[in-house]
Amino acid sequence: MSFLRSRILLQGSHALALGFLLLIVVSLIAETFWADDGSFSFAAWSNVFADVDRWGALLTNSLSALAIALASCLPIALFLATFAFRVTSRLRPWLVGLLVFGALLPFYVTNSSWITGMGVMYAESIIALGLVHGVASIPLASVLIGLSLRSVPRELEETAQLAGASLASIVLRVSLRSAPGGLLASAAWITLGILTDYSASDLLRVRTFAEETYTLFALHQDAREPTLVCLPQIVLFSLFLFPFVGRFAERSSGAPARLAPLAFRLGRWQLPATLAALALSLLCAGYPIVYLSGKLEASKSLLHYLEVTGPEILTSIGTAFVTGLLAAIFAPKCAWALVRGRGFLRWLTLSAIVTGLALPAPLVGMALISLFNHPGVLGEVYDSRAILVIAYFVRFFPLAVLAAVPAIAAIPRRIEDAAILDGADDATIWWRVLLPLARRATLGSFLFVSTLALGELPASQLVKPPGYETVGTRYFSLVHYGIEGDAAALCLLSACSAAALTVALLATFRKHLRG
Amino acid sequence: MRRFLFSSLFLALFVSVSSCSDVSTPTQEVVVYTALDRNFSEVIFEAFEKKTGIKVRASYDTESTKSVGLANRIRRESKTPRCDVFWNNEIVNTLLLKKEGHLQTSSPKEAANYPATFRDPEGYWYGFAARARVLIVNTELVPEARRPTKISDLIDPQWKGKVGIAKPLFGTTASHVAALFALHGPEKAKEFLTNVRANEAQIHGGNKGCARAVADGHNAFAMTDTDDAIIEKEAGKPVAIVYPDAGDGEDGTLLIPNTLAVLKGAPNPGNALKLIEYLLSPEVEKALANGPSAQIPLNKNSAPNTKLPKVSRPMKIDFEKAAEQFAPAREYVEKVFLK
């Protein structure tokens, strides 16, 4: 292949994937400037931003729930992360497995169990909303913080240890300070959940930005007001994430080979800490399973539940896997652009990834409706399950790219340089040199995105074509009637898929997760 | 290694796309957007499929955006409609769609067996399988002597913080609010809504939520529909169903029919008519009446509902006027309930 053609093919496919993400955001914002009659208008802007009372209520509720979620999640996650990833214990692999499984459970599985289990379904409680988000995020936060703690330079902690610092002091004052990424990522994840996921706030009837977005769209049939309600959070989040993601990519590529992290010993605290870690992990990952199992109707067999929920499961699996494949194809290349790219390519990749991360899920659905609800080929796509694949891709591709960054960054630069010196073009370098070395990143992207897509609800709810439901949307319609047999069965089948993906992820990344 | 990887990826892609693909041998189909709960309507669709061989692609509503969500979806898709039949669980939004030109006429044979008040004179929509707006009362929390009998009991200070209603922006609750605007005039209706809010009525996601909240003892009583109330009663929960405002000189109990309409530009109008004819049949009325939702048959050839007492005093309401009041009512409800 000619040098120019290979460059066009490679960069073209890269730009296509990212350009689509940016198109979503641009189309949403552009729509806010059009009135019902098609004329240019600022009416939507003045309607939304002049309503001070509304902003006050939404900010108060959302920020209160966020504070409670962070306070209930991060201390516990820090303890579990330290124990599971840094303390010498025979139970470590099991704890890591439990935490990864808990992290992969769809949010609607955990939130429905905790909401109905705690008996707060009628409470309209901000505290309950915050607690549900906080508790549901503990496993993922533990894994993120744990992975981050494993990257702390050993010598820093050894120095502190020799100086007589306690474990708590070392972790809080040395480890977290030198590797805050996991903590920041966890806080960002929880914030995104509170601001963009409406499944819990809809059940608890608490007005947050997520709930407002969904209600406004259902009421007014267009995306203008929902977009504007979410605009400040999109902008603020993007501004926060831009340097964070950029630095994450740079640090990953510049990281020198490290010694294995220090393994802590707890002495007389070993047993109580072990029991506490085990109890907390089992509670976070196991409580939803136990609670939902108790809701199954004894008179109905597994076959009955599979029959009733079969079409939804097939739709979810099919669309999730296709999305995973697309992510596997494009994510490593975009991760490479973040890590090694320069100039416009890196800037485009960074902007698209950051904006994609900050975009609330309901807005993704609304944007896709605006873009695809037209005659012709677009309408054909809109009326098929492909629209679900596109929604999942827009939502989770940025996360797949970030997940692939460490694996791509670990490929020694000299290998690439050697290929260039040998006269290889871009496509050859990518397909024959880098991609084989990035197979872990490819597989990881596939597994990660498939898992997330299986549990997706907010965007699916808006774009699902007639005649098709996903596991998430079916659950959403059932759960308003309370958790009964069919809803519990759906959640448990989702949990089974999470378990299967947990095993696959652990097998692929066992060295990184178990240490 | 690369060949194996790509072969595996390609095979997985092929299998996944096949399971995802909507390219199949052409079949007869009809696309219906239905606001009636899936567990009531799905069995009807399955019976239709078995009888006619026409595949039903149904899109079901969500409890928290009932009826309005689907009607707005129809509006959004009006340039490239993909829905054939709109099965609404109330009437006001169907009337609004007709007014906006989103419907087309149809002539099901069974229509002649329905009262004139429950079908459009021009043939744009047909009403069937009605429900009543009722008060569901927890019999353990509310002794019989103190049972509410009117809608206005929702604003009685003795029940402050103990009553419930569904979000009055969607579904039959929004239609009920519009009916109150039409019946009593905007000022009186607005006063009532303000007082409901001031009486700290708990706002539930939908009528089902209201019925469950009362059945579980979280509310003393709540406004809901007969189909949601009867389910709790038949489940053995301590609830009673009250037809409100049934006394002499009172407004009467609001009866809201399900409505059927064929959409303008429907891709399968022939199949749409067949589906409507089937849904209007005495067989379906009977199934809905005898089923868990206990709908009230309107077809003169259908046997009456035996699960519920007859509505002794139906509200005399002009639904066209209620449809005219829908937008101003919604605007006020947004002000009161979304702040």
Side-chain angles (χ1 to χ4, degrees):
Chain A
M1 193 186 295
S2 75
F3 180 80
L4 185 62
R5 249 196 308 178
S6 96
R7 174 152 280 197
I8 290 170
L9 181 70
L10 206 58
Q11 312 299 28
S13 60
H14 177 146
L16 198 69
L18 299 175
F20 188 68
L21 285 179
L22 289 172
L23 176 65
I24 297 282
V25 178
V26 168
S27 71
L28 281 170
I29 295 175
E31 203 179 320
T32 63
F33 291 104
W34 301 111
D36 289 334
D37 58 5
S39 60
F40 188 80
S41 168
F42 277 109
W45 288 75
S46 54
N47 283 346
V48 169
F49 289 105
D51 195 342
V52 176
D53 289 339
R54 170 196 271 176
W55 285 103
L58 293 178
L59 273 170
T60 305
N61 289 350
S62 300
L63 291 178
S64 305
L66 177 60
I68 293 165
L70 290 171
S72 59
C73 171
L74 294 180
I76 299 175
L78 185 57
F79 165 70
L80 287 173
T82 308
F83 194 90
F85 287 83
R86 299 295 307 275
V87 168
T88 305
S89 168
R90 272 189 220 156
L91 283 180
R92 255 173 64 185
W94 297 101
L95 284 175
V96 170
L98 268 175
L99 290 172
V100 170
F101 171 66
L104 294 179
L105 279 176
F107 180 57
Y108 59 77
V109 173
T110 43
N111 84 28
S112 59
S113 321
W114 285 105
I115 288 172
T116 45
M118 285 196 296
V120 293
M121 188 99 175
Y122 305 108
E124 289 182 302
S125 163
I126 294 171
I127 295 174
L129 180 66
L131 283 175
V132 161
H133 274 273
V135 169
S137 304
I138 287 172
L140 179 64
S142 305
V143 172
L144 290 173
I145 296 173
L147 288 173
S148 169
L149 286 179
R150 287 181 52 73
S151 67
V152 176
R154 185 187 175 112
E155 54 275 13
L156 287 179
E157 290 175 336
E158 278 179 335
T159 307
Q161 207 175 42
L162 285 170
S166 65
L167 171 60
S169 290
I170 294 171
V171 170
L172 290 171
R173 292 182 179 196
V174 177
S175 313
L176 276 182
R177 275 195 188 171
S178 57
L183 196 64
L184 289 172
S186 303
W189 180 264
I190 293 168
T191 307
L192 265 177
I194 292 273
L195 291 178
T196 68
D197 189 287
Y198 60 74
S199 55
S201 53
D202 180 68
L203 280 181
L204 291 169
R205 296 172 311 286
V206 175
R207 279 186 75 208
T208 59
F209 284 101
E211 167 70 10
E212 187 81 352
T213 307
Y214 181 59
T215 302
L216 283 175
F217 187 67
L219 269 178
H220 298 297
Q221 71 182 298
D222 71 57
R224 285 173 293 184
E225 287 200 20
T227 302
L228 291 170
V229 164
C230 293
L231 194 59
Q233 81 189 47
I234 295 172
V235 170
L236 287 171
F237 230 80
S238 299
L239 289 173
F240 165 72
L241 285 174
F242 203 95
F244 179 65
V245 171
R247 279 178 63 192
F248 169 67
E250 280 163 13
R251 286 184 73 167
S252 298
S253 67
R258 294 190 195 280
L259 294 169
L262 195 63
F264 299 118
R265 291 179 189 279
L266 299 180
R268 65 194 166 107
W269 293 103
Q270 185 77 17
L271 181 62
T274 305
L275 290 173
L278 194 59
L280 285 168
S281 303
L282 281 170
L283 188 66
C284 292
Y287 172 77
I289 309 304
V290 171
Y291 177 80
L292 292 166
S293 302
K295 288 288 176 183
L296 292 174
E297 290 164 50
S299 57
K300 292 180 182 168
S301 67
L302 174 65
L303 198 62
H304 160 83
Y305 285 121
L306 282 174
E307 221 174 87
V308 164
T309 58
E312 287 86 7
I313 292 170
L314 281 175
T315 299
S316 288
I317 289 176
T319 49
F321 275 25
V322 171
T323 315
L325 282 169
L326 288 173
I329 291 167
F330 289 105
K333 176 65 181 68
C334 292
W336 179 86
L338 270 185
V339 170
R340 302 262 201 272
R342 294 284 179 269
F344 175 72
L345 187 66
R346 185 168 191 269
W347 183 90
L348 173 69
T349 308
L350 195 53
S351 306
I353 297 305
V354 161
T355 323
L357 286 171
L359 197 62
L363 287 192
V364 172
M366 292 171 205
L368 291 179
I369 292 170
S370 295
L371 287 172
F372 285 90
N373 181 21
H374 297 289
V377 173
L378 292 174
E380 297 290 325
V381 171
Y382 180 58
D383 203 30
S384 73
R385 282 173 282 186
I387 195 71
L388 290 168
V389 172
I390 296 170
Y392 299 157
F393 182 81
V394 171
R395 281 216 62 203
F396 301 124
F397 182 66
L399 289 169
V401 172
L402 292 181
V405 159
I408 295 294
I411 299 171
R413 196 162 191 139
R414 62 178 186 280
I415 294 178
E416 210 177 318
D417 293 341
I420 293 170
L421 281 172
D422 281 347
D425 58 33
D426 283 0
T428 307
I429 293 171
W430 178 248
W431 292 112
R432 297 176 78 91
V433 178
L434 295 176
L435 195 57
L437 293 171
R439 57 183 180 276
R440 203 189 293 273
T442 303
L443 187 56
S445 296
F446 170 75
L447 291 171
F448 189 43
V449 169
S450 298
T451 311
L452 291 173
L454 274 171
E456 209 282 333
L457 169 60
S460 311
Q461 187 61 35
L462 292 171
V463 300
K464 60 182 173 129
Y468 299 108
E469 297 269 1
T470 64
V471 173
T473 61
R474 185 78 172 105
Y475 151 82
F476 191 61
S477 64
L478 286 171
V479 83
H480 283 95
Y481 308 139
I483 298 292
E484 290 162 4
D486 289 348
L490 264 177
C491 289
L492 285 170
L493 288 166
S494 301
C496 287
S497 58
L501 287 159
T502 300
V503 170
L505 268 173
L506 287 174
T508 308
F509 294 101
R510 57 182 175 278
K511 195 176 92 174
H512 299 276
L513 288 169
R514 291 186 189 174
Chain B
M1 171 64 208
R2 267 201 318 281
R3 271 194 205 145
F4 174 75
L5 179 70
F6 287 126
S7 306
S8 310
L9 280 176
F10 182 75
L11 185 64
L13 178 69
F14 178 76
V15 169
S16 300
V17 169
S18 305
S19 73
C20 228
S21 170
D22 294 308
V23 174
S24 53
T25 51
T27 54
Q28 288 258 22
E29 69 170 24
V30 62
V31 178
V32 54
Y33 289 178
T34 175
L36 188 69
D37 295 353
R38 178 173 174 162
N39 43 333
F40 307 146
S41 51
E42 194 175 24
V43 289
I44 307 289
F45 293 142
E46 283 168 2
F48 175 76
E49 282 180 342
K50 223 181 243 179
K51 189 173 180 178
T52 61
I54 299 172
K55 181 167 168 50
V56 177
R57 281 178 60 203
S59 208
Y60 300 97
D61 217 343
T62 55
E63 183 70 8
S64 54
T65 58
K66 262 289 158 76
S67 177
V68 174
L70 279 183
N72 280 335
R73 193 172 174 188
I74 287 168
R75 290 182 179 100
R76 272 198 315 273
E77 296 173 357
S78 58
K79 286 187 187 139
T80 45
R82 58 179 180 174
C83 175
D84 297 305
V85 174
F86 181 34
W87 177 352
N88 193 2
N89 70 346
E90 52 88 35
I91 185 171
V92 170
N93 279 280
T94 307
L95 291 171
L96 288 171
L97 287 174
K98 178 202 164 184
K99 203 170 154 186
E100 293 161 15
H102 295 295
L103 307 181
Q104 63 172 294
T105 57
S106 60
S107 309
K109 296 186 200 76
E110 202 60 50
N113 294 323
Y114 282 82
T117 45
F118 287 113
R119 53 187 158 94
D120 180 62
E122 295 167 287
Y124 281 97
W125 57 266
Y126 301 91
F128 76 121
R131 292 172 298 159
R133 294 285 294 160
V134 297
L135 296 172
I136 181 171
V137 184
N138 186 297
T139 52
E140 286 175 358
L141 296 175
V142 183
E144 194 166 347
R146 289 176 66 205
R147 262 187 217 169
T149 56
K150 300 192 280 286
I151 302 291
S152 55
D153 286 326
L154 289 167
I155 61 174
D156 189 333
Q158 69 167 315
W159 302 116
K160 186 164 186 161
K162 296 176 186 169
V163 301
I165 61 167
K167 221 185 294 184
L169 290 164
F170 303 102
T172 51
T173 312
S175 303
H176 197 161
V177 166
L180 292 176
F181 268 64
L183 197 67
H184 296 298
E187 290 315 309
K188 219 169 156 206
K190 285 177 184 177
E191 193 188 329
F192 172 71
L193 289 171
T194 308
N195 288 336
V196 164
R197 196 67 167 140
N199 210 31
E200 294 174 13
Q202 194 168 28
I203 312 300
H204 296 283
N207 289 312
K208 184 72 188 182
C210 285
R212 286 195 79 111
V214 171
D216 292 343
H218 290 276
N219 292 149
F221 66 91
M223 188 91 235
T224 189
D225 297 332
T226 37
D227 57 346
D228 297 305
I230 195 74
I231 284 173
E232 300 304 323
K233 192 159 184 208
E234 293 200 331
K237 297 291 173 74
V239 296
I241 298 173
V242 172
Y243 290 144
D245 302 295
D248 287 337
E250 290 178 345
D251 291 338
T253 305
L254 181 60
L255 265 183
I256 299 183
N258 281 260
T259 50
L260 297 167
V262 179
L263 297 190
K264 191 171 169 184
N268 307 289
N271 292 341
L273 179 61
K274 285 180 188 166
L275 178 61
I276 287 184
E277 278 176 345
Y278 178 74
L279 292 173
L280 291 176
S281 65
E283 172 191 344
V284 169
E285 285 270 41
K286 184 182 169 188
L288 289 171
N290 292 343
S293 62
Q295 311 274 329
I296 301 166
L298 299 177
N299 188 317
K300 68 182 187 199
N301 294 328
S302 296
N305 184 316
T306 52
K307 289 189 183 184
L308 290 166
K310 197 168 175 293
V311 176
S312 57
R313 193 183 190 86
M315 185 191 283
K316 286 189 173 61
I317 182 71
D318 182 343
F319 282 115
E320 295 278 358
K321 285 207 173 114
E324 282 167 22
Q325 292 295 325
F326 190 79
R330 187 184 73 188
E331 201 179 312
Y332 189 73
V333 166
E334 276 190 58
K335 237 188 255 180
V336 172
F337 290 91
L338 279 191
K339 298 293 172 211

